[in-house]
Amino acid sequence: MTNPTIRVVARLVAVPEKVEALKTVLLALIEPTRQETGCISYELLQNQFDPTDFTFVEEWTSNEALDNHLVSPHIEAAIAKLEGLIAAEPDIRRYNLLA
């Protein structure tokens, strides 16, 4: 693989009574993120059996593109809104595709 992409799985768990508020914050990230340089795909999933469980599945051209995303104005604004909406710190993991 000459230029492997970076895959990200980012999980956030809402405080049960704040599911809709968190969903609103997360949905607002989709369009501006998809416009970022280096974003290949950016999808938000909600667990069918546990509506408090949200997961972003992402693909980036490089770690640099992902790092730029993490300090973008829309991400910083969203992070500022998370207090009181999430039950635990976000679990963000970076992966390389093996096959």
Side-chain angles (χ1 to χ4, degrees):
M1 235 182 265
T2 53
N3 189 16
T5 61
I6 305 302
R7 308 291 175 100
V8 177
V9 177
R11 183 170 177 249
L12 296 95
V13 178
V15 171
E17 57 275 4
K18 300 292 186 176
V19 169
E20 290 305 314
L22 180 60
K23 184 189 296 187
T24 298
V25 170
L26 300 180
L27 285 171
L29 294 173
I30 294 172
E31 286 310 313
T33 298
R34 287 179 177 167
Q35 301 303 314
E36 289 181 51
T37 300
C39 179
I40 297 169
S41 67
Y42 191 79
E43 299 175 310
L44 177 62
L45 309 175
Q46 186 175 21
N47 188 314
Q48 291 182 354
F49 301 105
D50 179 1
T52 67
D53 181 10
F54 294 91
T55 301
F56 281 104
V57 178
E58 312 169 24
E59 185 175 4
W60 296 88
T61 56
S62 66
N63 275 306
E64 180 182 17
L66 177 56
D67 291 340
N68 289 335
H69 163 67
L70 294 174
V71 296
S72 65
H74 54 276
I75 290 296
E76 289 184 346
I79 289 169
K81 296 175 184 176
L82 292 181
E83 187 172 340
L85 300 182
I86 56 175
E89 287 297 310
D91 179 9
I92 302 171
R93 300 177 188 210
R94 296 180 188 210
Y95 295 89
N96 293 319
L97 181 64
L98 296 180

